[in-house]
Every structure is written in structure tokens, then in C-alpha cells.
Amino acid sequence: MDLKQHIRAIPDFPKPGILFYDISTLLAHPHAWRATVERLAEAVKPHQPDLLVGIESRGFLVAAPLALALGCGFVMVRKQGKLPGQTVRYTYDLEYGTDTIEIQEDAIATGQKVIVLDDLVATGGTLQAAVELVQQRGGIVTAAACIIELSFLKARDRIQVPLTSVVVYDE
């Protein structure tokens, strides 16, 4: 199944000049969504994760069903101020400024094998920040995965763990 046929491209969203790849249409097609989760499961299973970490918010849609399929736990990385309880923050540089992500303080046990997931990887900045946050908490990040990779933005040069993507756009 060609999963690109189930991903809608929306020009000029969220601002002019941006081509947004919308996975809503993929999620709405049960056979395409199942194929996506199965392909990701096949790719990450050899890493034997204890835990999957999903990045807010569409990364939750990827990581939660994948964790269920693999029989492992699921943890959320969110923007600052969105998680209850004690959290740990990680601030990272953007092209113009900084951003901060958080994880609950007790979400990862030292030595747990972790895979970090998002729906789409563009430049890789947020994904790499999540990798570093997990490592800071004692997790061993064995890989990262996504549905869509915009390879022309060269995220693989920035992400310091093996990256698996199901669909690649070269331009």
C-alpha cells in the first residue's frame, strides 16, 4: 500500500510558503492506518523498547497505538506547563529563539530502553531535544521513528540515534 496516497498536502499552512503534510486522512483510513502502525512496529521491534516516548501532540497518535502493539509503555513529552505533577524541562534552540519541552519526573526509569516518536520530522530539532531529555532522565534511546520524514531538511544530520521513517518526501 502506498501510504503517500493517504496523506494530504495542504499548501500555505500554517503560514504562506509552508506545505503541511496532514495525517488526518491517513488516520481516517483504517487499512492505511493499520499498515502504518504495522510498518513502524516491524521497524522498531528489533530495538526491544521498554517504553515509547511520543512528542506532543501528533506524536501521541503514533506512539500510543504502537506501544499497545508492541506491549510496552507510553510516555508523553509536552510543551512547558502541560503535564501535571513534577516535571523536568529541556530548553533547546530553534532557528529564531528557543522552545521548552517537559516530561514527568518519574516517567522513565534509569536504564530503560526508549524509542522517541513523532508524526513528522522536518529539521529534527524537537526530536533531538526529546532524545536528549530522555537521556538526561537516564533512559537509553535506542532509536527514533516517525511516519513522515522531510529528507531535504536533513534531520538525520542532527538526530544522534538511528531514525526510521515510513514515508519520505525528498522535496
Side-chain angles (χ1 to χ4, degrees), residues 116-160:
V116 179
L117 293 115
D118 209 349
D119 69 318
L120 181 143
V121 173
T123 64
T126 302
L127 187 68
Q128 180 58 33
V131 166
E132 291 173 19
L133 177 57
V134 169
Q135 290 170 335
Q136 184 182 86
R137 299 306 307 151
I140 300 166
V141 182
T142 58
C146 61
I147 297 173
I148 301 169
E149 176 186 357
L150 305 181
S151 65
F152 57 93
L153 295 175
K154 303 198 182 305
R156 288 178 187 267
D157 294 347
R158 185 177 211 174
I159 298 169
Q160 298 172 1

Side-chain angles (χ1 to χ4, degrees), residues 58-73:
R58 290 182 306 269
F60 301 167
L61 300 172
V62 180
L66 187 56
L68 187 61
L70 294 173
C72 61

Side-chain angles (χ1 to χ4, degrees), residues 65-115:
L66 187 56
L68 187 61
L70 294 173
C72 61
F74 164 65
V75 169
M76 297 176 283
V77 165
R78 299 203 68 186
K79 294 192 185 296
Q80 184 175 347
K82 302 279 187 164
L83 289 171
Q86 296 295 315
T87 60
V88 177
R89 293 182 180 144
Y90 187 88
T91 299
Y92 61 102
D93 292 328
L94 298 169
E95 190 173 344
Y96 300 104
T98 62
D99 204 354
T100 301
I101 55 175
E102 292 181 331
I103 196 166
Q104 288 174 317
E105 189 175 57
D106 60 355
I108 298 172
T110 300
Q112 279 189 303
K113 290 193 284 184
V114 178
I115 296 176

